[in-house]
Amino acid sequence: MTNADIKRRPVQARSQKTRTAIKEATHAVMREQGVRAVTTNAVAAHSGIKVGSIYDYFPNKEAIIAEIYEEKLAQVRSFFESGFEEIEADDWQMQLATVIRKTWAYQLSIGLDRTIVDAAYYYEALFPIAQQHARLIASNYVRLLRRLGSCWAQEQLFDLGISLYTLVNANWSYWRLTGTDDEIAIERQIVLTIMLITPALSAAECRESELTV
């Protein structure tokens, strides 16, 4: 290891700390005042970091929010994927319900809340991030259903996965419209998810598919 490497580490650590402080301040402004209140001046006031220094790390406020959004979605996706790996064919409904409940608890615990989700509607730059996340979640469903024995075609399972992901957005909409975070929304998501998945795992459908080949 060279002297340059040793010197670079503290600089990189300070840089990461500053980026984190900027993102945390941005999220705090969003929570306290709403998405529209986010400005670099507001972030600077909340974080104690000069506006000019913020621009050293991010080109604009949208870039800050996009990084927050993308990081939190990646965390949730990793948690969700780990839960899926543990689901087995016997009593898959109960296991899937547990994964969905735990995933909601996890994402709320890391701060993936309504303010960030609302930002995805407000800032167009966040839409590709949301779209990619939906596709990756759908792919997780494809792998799960294949492992559980589904005979549906790949494109059918992927389309089903996209539909299942839209139920997540339905929960956010329900909470936004009711002004609550009532867990009944999650339970309804679970019921609908199981209802939509069941035909894809139907042994009768597989037998019918084999007869038509």
Side-chain angles (χ1 to χ4, degrees):
M1 183 181 295
T2 66
N3 287 336
D5 291 331
I6 294 171
K7 291 178 180 178
R8 191 178 298 116
R9 283 188 174 181
V11 173
Q12 290 173 338
R14 286 197 299 273
S15 175
Q16 187 56 48
K17 186 176 180 180
T18 302
R19 288 184 73 90
T20 299
I22 291 169
K23 288 184 288 186
E24 288 178 349
T26 302
H27 196 187
V29 172
M30 291 167 63
R31 281 174 162 165
E32 294 168 12
Q33 304 174 47
V35 176
R36 291 174 177 80
V38 176
T39 64
T40 50
N41 285 330
V43 173
H46 204 288
S47 64
I49 298 170
K50 294 180 180 179
V51 172
S53 296
I54 291 175
Y55 285 115
D56 288 337
Y57 293 91
F58 297 96
N60 49 50
K61 63 183 180 181
E62 289 87 349
I64 306 173
I65 296 170
E67 187 165 311
I68 295 170
Y69 187 54
E70 191 163 23
E71 285 180 353
K72 292 193 183 300
L73 288 183
Q75 288 177 270
V76 170
R77 199 162 55 245
S78 178
F79 185 91
F80 192 64
E81 289 171 2
S82 297
F84 265 27
E85 290 172 2
E86 298 175 4
I87 296 176
E88 299 177 353
D90 291 339
D91 199 24
W92 64 266
Q93 298 93 331
M94 186 71 71
Q95 295 171 69
L96 179 58
T98 298
V99 170
I100 292 173
R101 290 189 192 101
K102 286 184 175 180
T103 300
W104 274 105
Y106 174 75
Q107 70 180 17
L108 294 172
S109 75
I110 64 167
L112 181 55
D113 52 29
R114 205 181 312 160
T115 59
I116 295 180
V117 175
D118 287 347
Y121 292 97
Y122 188 70
Y123 295 110
E124 189 175 337
L126 271 63
F127 177 73
I129 299 172
Q131 187 177 48
Q132 178 66 5
H133 177 68
R135 290 178 177 277
L136 291 170
I137 292 294
S139 295
N140 286 328
Y141 272 110
V142 172
R143 288 192 294 273
L144 172 66
L145 296 178
R146 274 275 181 261
R147 186 162 57 78
L148 295 182
S150 178
C151 61
W152 281 20
Q154 186 85 0
E155 59 272 18
Q156 288 178 297
L157 290 175
F158 184 79
D159 183 68
L160 174 60
I162 291 292
S163 292
L164 296 172
Y165 180 71
T166 64
L167 299 178
V168 174
N169 293 325
N171 283 2
W172 291 116
S173 295
Y174 176 84
W175 287 334
R176 188 181 301 110
L177 291 169
T178 61
T180 70
D181 55 359
D182 194 326
E183 292 185 1
I184 190 64
I186 299 171
E187 296 308 311
R188 287 170 179 158
Q189 176 195 349
I190 290 168
V191 170
L192 291 171
T193 297
I194 292 172
M195 186 184 301
L196 290 169
I197 284 177
T198 297
L201 297 177
S202 168
E205 286 207 10
C206 284
R207 287 195 297 272
E208 184 178 337
S209 176
E210 290 170 359
L211 289 173
T212 57
V213 172

